[in-house]
Amino acid sequence: MNAARRTSRRTVWAAVRAMALFTILLGVAYPLAVTGIGQLALPAQANGSLVSDSAGSPVGSALIGQQFFTAAGDPDPAFFQPRPSAAGDGYDGAASSGSNLGPKNPDLVAAIGERKAQVADFNGVPETEVPADAVTASSSGLDPHISPAYAAIQVQRVAEARGIDTATVAQLVEAHTAGPDLGYLGESRVNVLELNLALEQLRG
């Protein structure tokens, strides 16, 4: 009986020590090490890839899109507009998702047709020039980028709304166009928030 109790106590004590050891290693040491490495090697990414305005105030993240509306709640013609978002009311990080509708779903087909007409009218271009990313949401609903083609059809409208030269706006788009990762992964893209901040700095 005593031997059985001693064996049981040893087993419990060994389990307690193992739990304490792995709690310290995996619950304390490992998170601290990863956080420290992130802050030292990639501080911007580790802190959310925040983007700041000319005054140094954070205005968003380079990784999460946002909408640019007027006070009345309409798309602001003086800013480049992002692609649609199905995350909450739009670009809601707490509700990241796509519509999950298939390409032949009648609701999606109708929504795309409506969006295409709106984008074409808003930018003063034929519907045939409206690219796919202007009328479809990304799978996350948070994509901060648009295609160079979508940016291109917005240049004239933004330039007119701001009263500046079209060529100047086009140059800003080109300057904020990133190529494929590693030169071949993905497509060229334009970060909408960073481009709009550049426009505001131009005005300032």
Side-chain angles (χ1 to χ4, degrees):
M1 188 69 175
N2 290 336
R5 287 180 179 175
R6 285 196 296 271
T7 300
S8 179
R9 288 174 182 172
R10 290 195 189 101
T11 301
V12 171
W13 178 234
V16 169
R17 285 184 295 176
M19 183 179 68
L21 174 63
F22 284 107
T23 297
I24 293 172
L25 288 177
L26 302 178
V28 179
Y30 178 73
L32 286 176
V34 171
T35 300
I37 292 171
Q39 291 294 333
L40 290 173
L42 301 166
Q45 292 86 338
N47 290 297
S49 298
L50 296 180
V51 177
S52 300
D53 59 17
S54 57
S57 300
V59 293
S61 170
L63 303 177
I64 299 178
Q66 58 181 275
Q67 296 167 317
F68 297 86
F69 289 148
T70 63
D74 300 316
D76 194 330
F79 290 93
F80 283 86
Q81 295 297 317
R83 65 189 301 179
S85 171
D89 291 331
Y91 295 99
D92 183 355
S96 174
S97 69
S99 67
N100 294 324
L101 298 177
K104 294 185 178 180
N105 183 284
D107 292 335
L108 179 61
V109 172
I112 288 176
E114 183 178 345
R115 290 171 187 164
K116 181 176 288 189
Q118 291 173 344
V119 170
D121 180 66
F122 187 55
N123 293 286
V125 298
E127 290 189 19
T128 54
E129 292 185 15
V130 176
D133 64 305
V135 296
T136 56
S138 65
S139 58
S140 69
L142 306 177
D143 190 350
H145 301 100
I146 57 175
S147 67
Y150 187 22
I153 68 170
Q154 300 187 62
V155 167
Q156 183 68 35
R157 183 250 304 160
V158 171
E160 291 178 355
R162 289 178 176 266
I164 58 179
D165 187 61
T166 302
T168 300
V169 179
Q171 288 171 359
L172 280 179
V173 171
E174 184 177 357
H176 288 81
T177 299
D181 293 329
L182 302 179
Y184 67 94
L185 294 175
E187 302 289 338
S188 296
R189 59 203 182 277
V190 181
N191 189 289
V192 178
L193 174 58
E194 293 177 350
L195 176 57
N196 283 334
L197 277 178
L199 283 169
E200 287 295 276
Q201 290 170 1
L202 188 66
R203 175 189 292 178

